[in-house]
Each structure stands twice: as structure tokens, then as C-alpha cells.
Amino acid sequence: MGFADDHLIPLLDPGLGNSAYLVDLGDGRALAVDACRDLRTLDAAAERRGLTVAYAADTHLHADFLSGALQLRHDHGAAVLASAAGHRAFDHQGLADGDEVDLGGLTLRALATPGHTAEHLSFLLLDGGRELGVFTGGSLIVDSAARTDLLGADRTEELARAQYHSLRRLTELPDGTAVWPTHGAGSFCSAPPGNERTSTIGAQKRANPLLAAPDEDAFVRQLVAGLGTYPAYFDRLAEANRRGPAVLTGTPLLPELSAEQVRALAADGGRVVDVRPVADYATGHIQGSLSDPLRDRFATWLGWLLPDTVPLVFVTGEGQDLSEIVGQAYKIGYERLAGRLAGGMPAWLADGNEQATTAFVTADRAGGRPYLDVRQASEFTAGHVPGAIHVELGDLDRAAADVPEGALVACAHGERAMTAAGLLERAGRTDVAVLDGGPADYAAAHGQELVRGPEGTRP
């Protein structure tokens, strides 16, 4: 059994595609690295081991979630460790390249690794002089590196060049050094995403395509070519983390609202978010509401498609976990949660209100309509229906007027497509249908073969 088996607890957030880490320091204390504000999983892991979090370290000013470091200081008395170059506006132990923190037997050494962000640090965990592993945050990630365009297009190349040197520096560590990244498969901070969560320096030297680039210019071209779009809320959270997220002193709730209250909030600029399964939304929903089914990716699309400045009202189904709605919303800084419709859609109808419906059709019943694919560009390029129109879900609000009449809206399974249908409905388009399935289902039902590439070349 190695150190990681006995002392390292990775905490995966499948929705964001990120990993936080809890390190058992062996004396009832723990180090947390890159913890998000939704601490339910971390707190449960600490409680199982009887640990108090003594240190909360952030590798960078996160753009995809609010940091949980200040909450850990409040809840556990943790010392907050972060880059001095981040100029955080709250008390913390600011670290620069080479600074070390004695964890009580183990040592944490800061390594300046700019690229993903300008102030990025990696944290090398040492047992005496032996390198156990390195928390690489958004620098070296498994088989890739994190994106470098979050500070604006004008700095993308500069930061990509910094990323090149940061990765080269990390590869100077011994081959057996474990690599513990924050970003990984499913993270919009990855460029492009990989599949594994952790690795070693030696394995990355052998397998990471970016490390095989022959020179700095080739590295930059390869990294930048892999950059896709990212959620709109990313542009807000780095500054929110620099200022410091508000500490929560209790568990936020979703109060019950009457149908009359929901109508009033919607009329006054609030937004209605329907978190029920897409089939339930299709059968009947509040006109103009957004379908965002409660799943791992719930927060991603909430933050991509809705502002954080308006009250949000939720329509829920029987048995859905209200704490999951609150936890996911709060971790990306969405705190204006007005409440939920008491009694759900039955109560809405009982109050004399109308409902809207959306055609939700299987592939064998979906012929004859223009095919609108709302997946990410990388998914579309990997394989799509011949003749498909492509508009990413995140861009649909701006392109709603260009969607052809009677379109069949599709994604991989139906969730994002139903979200798209809600956006189109709000824009006055009530003629669309949603595919219950994905492109492979449609192609099989219609005797077609998927094509790949942005222009539709065959595999």
C-alpha cells in the first residue's frame, strides 16, 4: 500500500469534471486541495476518518467554481494557502515559488506554474526529501493541459507559452512522482479533456501528446487548437474567488411558493427552472420555463444560460433532492434562489394556469424535420447526422431566429435538446420537436451513416 492508498482521498465532482483532494496527515488533521464551496462530499469523507481540515490550499483562482477554502476556515479553522500573486482580498498565507509549509511531518512546497492562470501554483507534497506527488491544478493534467484563454483572447498565446514552460518544469520531477490534477475528464477547463483522473510524471512524459510537441511554437498551436467554448459564468468566478465567497452560516433552503407567487416572480423578471426529467417537462411545463434536469451537469447549464442577477424559481418532481439543487447552484455563485413551486405542476394547473408541451419523439418518428444539433463542436465533429445544422446550446439564444421552422432539436440523449427547446419556446418558437436519443439512433432509424468533421466528411 502506497501513500495515496492510505492517505489521499480524491473527491470527484462529476458535473464539473474536477477533483478536489483530502490528505490525511495522520494525526487527526487533514489538508484539502482545491475544494469547492459545496463541501458535502468533503465533509462526509473527513467525518468518516475523524479528520479536521487544518489546511485549505487553492492552486489558482478558480473560474468554474467558488472556492471552499474560506468555508473550511470557518468550519474547521483551516489555514488558507494560496498564491501571493493572486492578490486575494482576505487573510491567507500567500505563497511564492519555493515557499514551503510544514504540515507536521510532511511538507508542501509551492511551485510557480503559470499558464492556466497567471498566478497558478502547483503544490509538491514531500516526505522529507522524497517527492510523494504534486497537486498540479490546471497546469499538467492527464494527457493534456488546462486551457489558457480564460483571461481573454489577448492573453491566450502568452499564457500558452507560460504553460509550456510550466509543464517542462514539472517533468523535471522524478518519474515516480504522482500527478494529482484538479481538472480532468468532463471539465470545460481541460483542453481537450482526457479520461483518467491521476497519473505520474513518468507516465505523462511517455503519453501526454502536448509533451511530445517538438518545440514551444508547436506546443502552443496544439494547445490552442484544442480550445472549445466554456460556460458564461467562468468570466465572473475568478474575481469572486479573489474577493472571497461569502461564508455560509447555515444550510440555504428552497422555500415553498404558491402558484400566484411564481407567476408574480416570473412577471417581474424572475426565471423559472424546471429540474424534472425531460419527459415530464415535455408532457407539461410552465410557458417560458427552462428545462435543466437535476443531474451532474445541472450547475453547468444553469450558469451558462441564466444570469446570476435574477431570482430563480424551481419546478421539481416528486422525490427530487432539493439539497442538490441548492448545493450545485451555490458552488457556482447562484444564490438568488427564490424557492420552488409548492405541489409542482399539479398545483400550477389546479390554480387555473395553462401549461405548454413539447413534442418528444423517438428516432423512428422524427423524419422530415431539419435536424438541429446543439452539442459541443468537438462532439459534432466526432460524428453527426448528414446535413445537420450545428449551433451549440450555449449560443442558441443569439441564433434562435436562424433556426429553421419545425426543427428537430437533438443532442446526445435529449437533456440539452430539451433545454434548447425551452430557450426557443421563450423566443416565440413553438414549432420544434426534441429527439429522444442521439445522432446514432437517428442515423440507424433512417438508414444513414454518421459523418465527421465540421463540414461533414465521412469517417
Side-chain angles (χ1 to χ4, degrees), residues 288-329:
S289 62
L290 182 77
S291 173
D292 187 8
L294 187 58
R295 63 202 193 282
D296 290 340
R297 286 284 192 183
F298 166 73
T300 293
W301 294 109
L302 184 74
W304 203 321
L305 301 173
L306 294 180
D308 62 351
T309 55
V310 300
L312 301 179
V313 177
F314 297 92
V315 177
T316 60
E318 187 175 350
Q320 288 192 299
D321 185 355
L322 302 184
S323 69
E324 188 66 13
I325 298 173
V326 174
Q328 287 206 42

Side-chain angles (χ1 to χ4, degrees), residues 421-448:
L423 291 174
L424 292 169
E425 178 184 285
R426 188 174 176 85
R429 302 292 304 276
T430 57
D431 56 340
V432 302
V434 171
L435 177 64
D436 182 4
D441 303 305
Y442 185 92
H446 295 272
Q448 298 175 329

Side-chain angles (χ1 to χ4, degrees), residues 109 114-115 143 202 325 392 401 432-433 439:
R109 179 185 297 162
D143 295 343
I325 298 173
E392 286 192 7
V432 302

Side-chain angles (χ1 to χ4, degrees), residues 33-351:
V33 180
D34 287 342
C36 82
R37 194 188 196 191
D38 182 3
L39 293 170
R40 290 174 297 167
T41 303
L42 186 149
D43 283 340
E47 185 176 355
R48 282 194 299 271
R49 289 210 181 195
L51 299 173
T52 298
V53 179
Y55 304 94
D58 275 346
T59 57
H60 59 289
L61 288 166
H62 301 288
D64 47 349
F65 59 84
L66 287 179
S67 168
L70 283 180
Q71 192 69 44
L72 288 169
R73 183 172 73 182
H74 175 271
D75 296 349
H76 292 255
V80 178
L81 312 176
S83 171
H87 303 295
R88 289 163 173 81
F90 51 87
D91 289 338
H92 64 286
Q93 185 173 346
L95 302 175
D97 186 47
D99 286 347
E100 295 185 347
V101 178
D102 182 358
L103 304 178
L106 299 177
T107 301
L108 199 66
R109 179 185 297 162
L111 303 176
T113 46
H116 181 47
T117 63
E119 42 45 82
H120 193 286
L121 292 178
S122 295
F123 294 112
L124 180 62
L125 189 64
L126 298 157
D127 183 4
R130 183 166 66 97
E131 297 89 348
L132 298 173
V134 57
F135 298 101
T136 55
S139 52
L140 178 63
I141 63 179
V142 178
D143 295 343
S144 189
R147 65 190 311 142
T148 60
D149 59 340
L150 296 181
L151 298 185
D154 59 330
R155 297 195 65 185
T156 299
E157 181 176 335
E158 166 205 340
L159 290 171
R161 294 187 181 281
Q163 189 77 295
Y164 171 81
H165 293 286
S166 292
L167 265 60
R168 294 291 164 178
R169 181 185 188 186
L170 289 169
T171 59
E172 294 173 0
L173 294 169
D175 283 359
T177 307
V179 173
W180 301 316
T182 300
H183 303 310
S187 169
F188 281 99
C189 282
S190 300
N195 294 314
E196 299 298 322
R197 310 302 311 182
T198 63
S199 186
T200 64
I201 293 294
Q204 286 307 292
K205 286 162 69 174
R206 293 188 297 272
N208 192 317
L210 285 170
L211 293 177
D215 54 38
E216 182 176 330
D217 289 339
F219 175 95
V220 170
R221 287 194 299 271
Q222 189 173 334
L223 177 60
V224 172
L227 299 177
T229 55
Y230 59 84
Y233 76 91
F234 278 25
D235 292 333
R236 302 189 292 269
L237 287 201
E239 175 59 17
N241 279 322
R242 191 195 68 79
R243 294 194 309 267
V247 169
L248 306 178
T249 56
T251 303
L253 302 175
L254 275 182
E256 292 190 338
L257 302 173
S258 67
E260 181 180 2
Q261 289 173 306
V262 171
R263 282 198 312 273
L265 281 162
D268 197 33
R271 296 295 298 267
V272 179
V273 183
D274 195 317
V275 304
R276 297 175 299 153
V278 292
D280 294 343
Y281 178 89
T283 299
H285 57 268
I286 296 175
Q287 176 76 36
S289 62
L290 182 77
S291 173
D292 187 8
L294 187 58
R295 63 202 193 282
D296 290 340
R297 286 284 192 183
F298 166 73
T300 293
W301 294 109
L302 184 74
W304 203 321
L305 301 173
L306 294 180
D308 62 351
T309 55
V310 300
L312 301 179
V313 177
F314 297 92
V315 177
T316 60
E318 187 175 350
Q320 288 192 299
D321 185 355
L322 302 184
S323 69
E324 188 66 13
I325 298 173
V326 174
Q328 287 206 42
Y330 266 68
K331 78 180 174 185
I332 63 166
Y334 279 63
E335 300 182 13
R336 298 195 65 182
L337 311 185
R340 63 189 177 95
L341 173 62
M345 285 304 295
W348 180 257
L349 296 174
D351 190 57

